[in-house]
Amino acid sequence: MARYRTAGQEQAQRPRSDFRVAERPGYLLHKAAMLLDEDVEKHLVAGVAMRSRYFLLLATMASGPELSQKDLSQLLNLDPTTVVTVIDEMERNQHVERKRNPADRRRYQLHVTPAGRKALAAAEKVATEVESSFFGTLTDSERETLRDMLSRVMAGRWPASVCERSL
Amino acid sequence: MARYRTAGQEQAQRPRSDFRVAERPGYLLHKAAMLLDEDVEKHLVAGVAMRSRYFLLLATMASGPELSQKDLSQLLNLDPTTVVTVIDEMERNQHVERKRNPADRRRYQLHVTPAGRKALAAAEKVATEVESSFFGTLTDSERETLRDMLSRVMAGRWPASVCERSL
DNA sequence: TATTGTTATACTCTATAACTATA
DNA sequence: TATAGTTATAGAGTATAACAATA
């Protein structure tokens, strides 16, 4: 992961920051998400040797409705082939077991093992700490407001439209 | 660009959505940014044949302090080699001219041409429409709150730490 | 005939390293 | 010796398409 953020110690000839992009709400959203993603990925890898998409897939499998690999790829916007790769890895790590769905033998029932749940708990602890630190300057009430606004902005697109299906 | 969001029309056997990831503020932020990025990219390509990073670089060059390619790569978290590629393309499109900085002949002065500003204006119109539509369910006051919260969350990391340098 | 999951492959994007020129 | 920019190359990531099994 590249780091272009660490600053040098040079002359500050024009301490302005009137970048047009910095005023676009869309770019602020993009940038904030990128910074948080990097933080989460870095700490997950360092703390529990797990990458973000592994964590997200595991967390999704461990909670809520039972999902096929196809469902997961739709919900998390991951390519189906990527889901295969990550779940292969999960099986090798004995965090997940693939069992055929008796009602539709094309699908898998993805079963998170106790070891998988344990690993997930550790990862969630890390992720929660990173998020808490990232949103550190916001009050609890503000965090709730942010959560609410983001949910509303996505209403009907996520996760709703995915859930319309078999979920 | 892949689309895993368009839903089929099947049985809704479990209309729940208690995914653990959906409750993480971090994932909400990530997902919202992804959706918006996709919208912006799609409409920029379709409307003005311009990709997002081209637009971002052009918008940054056209406003604020004069930046070298190195500065741009740091500010926008783009690899320096990517910046070279995109600015090459901009030169072919006659949107930008490279001139040597007389004070430091290693650096370029990147000059946005009138044609470049015209293209930028068209792109900004598209991007603004997409953003406006994306944040459509928020009131003006809420949008300001969101902008403010995102800025505060990033305070000290962006664009400040980049600006500490030569900008 | 359509769908889930898989594999193989191609392609895009990004990162790494070496090079030129300037400082 | 260090930095800005460039080029070539390698690697990671993702998408495409063909396939097997099942519906």
Side-chain angles (χ1 to χ4, degrees):
Chain A
M1 204 186 314
R3 285 264 101 73
Y4 301 110
R5 205 164 311 101
T6 44
Q9 55 298 326
E10 292 161 45
Q11 79 292 357
Q13 67 187 50
R14 261 186 252 99
R16 304 167 59 203
S17 64
D18 56 339
F19 304 113
R20 212 179 288 195
V21 288
E23 280 149 28
R24 298 200 79 85
Y27 193 72
L28 285 177
L29 184 62
H30 167 89
K31 192 75 192 187
M34 270 190 64
L35 289 175
L36 178 55
D37 286 351
E38 286 178 12
D39 287 357
V40 170
E41 176 96 357
K42 193 173 70 179
H43 284 88
L44 280 179
V45 169
V48 294
M50 193 184 286
R51 297 199 42 196
S52 296
R53 61 189 190 185
Y54 191 112
F55 165 62
L56 290 169
L57 279 167
L58 192 58
T60 305
M61 281 188 257
S63 66
E66 183 185 299
L67 301 177
S68 68
Q69 295 185 187
K70 190 96 194 302
D71 296 330
L72 290 167
S73 83
Q74 292 176 328
L75 181 70
L76 298 176
N77 275 89
L78 298 171
D79 194 273
T81 59
T82 301
V83 174
V84 171
T85 305
V86 176
I87 296 184
D88 283 349
E89 189 189 347
M90 287 176 170
E91 266 195 325
R92 285 196 301 276
N93 293 340
Q94 300 187 321
H95 287 169
V96 166
E97 287 170 0
R98 282 179 169 107
K99 296 176 181 174
R100 283 290 172 189
N101 185 332
D104 181 346
R105 291 188 48 73
R106 293 173 303 183
R107 297 178 179 230
Y108 282 124
Q109 284 180 336
L110 300 165
H111 177 69
V112 179
T113 66
R117 290 184 189 278
K118 197 174 161 191
L120 174 60
E124 279 184 326
K125 186 162 179 291
V126 171
T128 301
E129 280 166 6
V130 172
E131 285 178 3
S132 181
S133 162
F134 185 81
F135 294 112
T137 58
L138 303 183
T139 67
D140 285 352
S141 155
E142 284 176 322
R143 294 181 202 204
E144 183 50 40
T145 300
L146 178 60
R147 219 189 58 79
D148 172 65
M149 290 197 292
L150 293 175
S151 294
R152 280 165 55 205
V153 154
M154 289 192 284
R157 293 183 69 178
W158 191 87
S161 64
V162 178
C163 301
E164 280 167 17
R165 289 188 67 267
S166 59
L167 317 190
Chain B
M1 210 186 313
R3 283 265 100 72
Y4 301 111
R5 205 165 309 102
T6 45
Q9 56 296 326
E10 292 161 43
Q11 79 293 355
Q13 68 187 50
R14 259 187 254 97
R16 303 166 60 203
S17 64
D18 56 340
F19 305 112
R20 212 180 289 196
V21 289
E23 280 149 26
R24 299 200 76 85
Y27 193 72
L28 285 176
L29 183 64
H30 168 89
K31 191 74 191 187
M34 271 191 63
L35 289 175
L36 178 55
D37 286 351
E38 286 178 13
D39 288 356
V40 170
E41 176 97 355
K42 193 173 71 180
H43 285 87
L44 280 179
V45 168
V48 293
M50 193 184 284
R51 297 199 41 197
S52 295
R53 62 189 190 185
Y54 191 112
F55 166 61
L56 289 170
L57 279 167
L58 192 58
T60 306
M61 282 189 258
S63 67
E66 183 185 299
L67 301 177
S68 68
Q69 296 184 187
K70 189 94 193 300
D71 296 330
L72 289 167
S73 82
Q74 292 176 328
L75 180 69
L76 299 176
N77 276 84
L78 299 171
D79 194 273
T81 60
T82 301
V83 174
V84 171
T85 305
V86 177
I87 296 182
D88 283 350
E89 188 189 348
M90 288 176 169
E91 266 195 327
R92 285 195 301 275
N93 293 340
Q94 299 188 326
H95 288 168
V96 166
E97 287 170 0
R98 282 179 168 107
K99 295 175 181 174
R100 284 292 173 187
N101 185 330
D104 181 345
R105 291 187 48 73
R106 292 173 304 180
R107 299 179 177 231
Y108 282 123
Q109 284 180 336
L110 300 164
H111 177 69
V112 180
T113 66
R117 290 184 188 276
K118 197 174 162 191
L120 173 61
E124 279 184 326
K125 185 162 178 291
V126 171
T128 300
E129 280 166 5
V130 172
E131 286 179 3
S132 181
S133 163
F134 184 83
F135 295 111
T137 58
L138 304 183
T139 65
D140 284 352
S141 155
E142 285 176 321
R143 295 181 202 204
E144 183 51 39
T145 301
L146 178 60
R147 218 188 59 77
D148 172 65
M149 288 197 293
L150 293 175
S151 294
R152 280 165 53 207
V153 154
M154 290 192 284
R157 293 183 67 178
W158 190 87
S161 65
V162 178
C163 300
E164 279 167 18
R165 288 188 67 266
S166 58
L167 318 189

